[in-house]
Amino acid sequence: MIRKTLKLLALTLAVGALLALIGLLKQKNRALEDAQKRIASIEQRMNKIMASISEEGRVADLRNELTQQRAELERLHTELAALHARTACSQVEPAIKQDVSSSSEAPAQTQASESYEDAAKTSERIEQRADAGLEMLSAFPAAKQRFVECAVKANIAPTLIERPQTLSAIDGIGPIFEQRLYNAGIGTYWEVATLDDETLRRILQLSKARAALVRFDTIRASAQRLAEETQTVGSIWNSEPVDDFDMIPGIGEVYKRRLYDAGIRTYAALANATPELLEQACASRSPVPPDYAGWIEAARKLATGRSGNESNT
């Protein structure tokens, strides 16, 4: 009797555990479906943003339009000169012919003059837009022209920033991938959001087998979301060198980010800093202060080793 009761109890517990497991699986499936819906919604929004291409914003189109308007302007110049010549000739004819000529050609002269003025104003306006577009392009490094064009296509005003953003905050991007992106000149959420699969695979140094396991769409969607949340859509990093301070003992992610924000982003800059400057930049609240002098010495060795390697090559 006791054995039967124990078996019944064990069966009841097993059934309860199975039901609980089924419930957890259902919850997990629902959470996964919700996450997939969120990803699909973000991807759809990104596609809409990238699809909203403004032809007026393209510098190449502005140049073509400017060329056409200049050609039209030259044609009106020629017509107006010919009209002035005909008017001058008509002044030496008899008074009657002069009146007839004036009455017939005056509307044409007025119309040509108005067309000339309109074309001149249009040409000037287009020329100003083209000059503004060229000035905007010249303000960005050549390596960043692709991102500028992406911003123009999406009707976004590109902005050049000095400090790189925390790319490790992007889903799927850890400290190692963050440093590889920095080394490739990618330093903002928005820049990551515009990269295609092949460019991401190359920058992150992924083999084809590993790349097949990486959700590039998730990386881009997360980067776009962070860019929107931080109001840095269209921000482009100036690509100043950034070293990986994780190589230095005692510098974790928090201190590394504070040093970056303070403008200390290379081994050489860290080696030339003072303990007082590092203390101010890191604002540590730890009861045991960091070994700032040790950081400086380690950075000096790394910077010296790098310069030695460069000279050997």
Side-chain angles (χ1 to χ4, degrees):
M1 184 65 180
I2 296 176
R3 184 177 299 174
K4 185 181 294 186
T5 303
L6 291 175
K7 287 183 178 180
L8 182 60
L9 180 60
L11 181 61
T12 303
L13 292 174
V15 171
L18 180 59
L19 292 175
L21 181 60
I22 292 174
L24 289 175
L25 288 175
K26 288 182 178 180
Q27 291 179 1
K28 183 177 181 181
N29 289 334
R30 283 196 297 269
L32 182 60
E33 290 175 359
D34 292 341
Q36 290 175 343
K37 288 180 181 179
R38 280 191 60 196
I39 292 172
S41 174
I42 294 173
E43 290 177 347
Q44 185 178 7
R45 184 168 57 183
M46 284 180 58
N47 291 334
K48 288 182 180 180
I49 292 174
M50 296 304 295
S52 59
I53 299 174
S54 172
E55 294 298 330
E56 291 184 357
R58 294 181 60 85
V59 176
D61 291 344
L62 289 175
R63 288 174 174 167
N64 292 335
E65 189 177 352
L66 179 59
T67 301
Q68 294 175 1
Q69 290 296 332
R70 282 177 174 168
E72 178 67 14
L73 191 59
E74 290 296 331
R75 184 184 67 79
L76 290 173
H77 269 302
T78 303
E79 291 183 1
L80 190 58
L83 185 59
H84 282 313
R86 290 198 301 270
T87 303
C89 291
S90 68
Q91 292 177 354
V92 298
E93 295 179 355
I96 297 176
K97 291 185 179 181
Q98 183 176 358
D99 293 339
V100 174
S101 176
S102 299
S103 62
S104 62
E105 291 183 352
Q109 181 177 0
T110 301
Q111 183 177 2
S113 299
E114 291 176 353
S115 299
Y116 168 77
E117 292 176 359
D118 291 341
K121 291 178 180 179
T122 302
S123 177
E124 183 180 359
R125 187 167 56 252
I126 295 173
E127 195 166 348
Q128 290 175 351
R129 285 161 52 196
D131 290 341
L134 291 173
E135 184 178 354
M136 179 186 67
L137 284 175
S138 62
F140 291 86
K144 297 293 182 176
Q145 296 304 313
R146 173 189 174 280
F147 299 108
V148 176
E149 292 175 3
C150 287
V152 171
K153 288 180 181 179
N155 282 335
I156 298 171
T159 304
L160 198 65
I161 64 174
E162 295 182 358
R163 295 185 298 184
Q165 294 179 305
T166 310
L167 301 185
S168 57
I170 301 172
D171 293 341
I173 301 296
I176 295 177
F177 284 172
E178 178 185 57
Q179 191 60 41
R180 290 175 181 175
L181 287 165
Y182 288 159
N183 293 341
I186 307 299
T188 69
Y189 302 134
W190 187 77
E191 287 177 320
V192 175
T194 64
L195 298 177
D196 55 42
D197 290 2
E198 180 56 30
T199 304
L200 276 170
R201 188 192 70 79
R202 176 176 50 81
I203 292 176
L204 300 181
Q205 302 175 22
L206 301 175
S207 64
K208 290 185 178 180
R210 188 177 178 187
L213 303 176
V214 176
R215 293 292 302 273
F216 295 115
D217 289 341
T218 301
I219 292 175
R220 283 189 291 267
S222 176
Q224 180 68 25
R225 175 178 56 80
L226 288 170
E228 293 173 357
E229 290 177 355
T230 57
Q231 298 182 352
T232 55
V233 173
S235 293
I236 300 173
W237 180 42
N238 63 5
S239 298
E240 291 184 354
V242 173
D243 286 330
D244 186 7
F245 289 164
D246 290 338
M247 301 287 293
I248 300 176
I251 299 183
E253 191 63 30
V254 173
Y255 288 152
K256 180 176 73 172
R257 184 54 45 190
R258 291 177 182 176
L259 290 171
Y260 284 173
D261 290 342
I264 303 172
R265 306 185 186 106
T266 63
Y267 297 141
L270 182 55
N272 291 325
T274 62
E276 292 76 17
L277 177 61
L278 297 181
E279 182 180 6
Q280 182 179 2
C282 292
S284 174
R285 295 183 179 180
S286 173
V288 180
D291 183 11
Y292 298 120
W295 292 4
I296 294 172
E297 182 60 27
R300 183 177 294 112
K301 290 179 180 178
L302 288 169
T304 303
R306 170 178 295 173
S307 62
N309 293 334
E310 290 177 352
S311 63
N312 291 334
T313 55

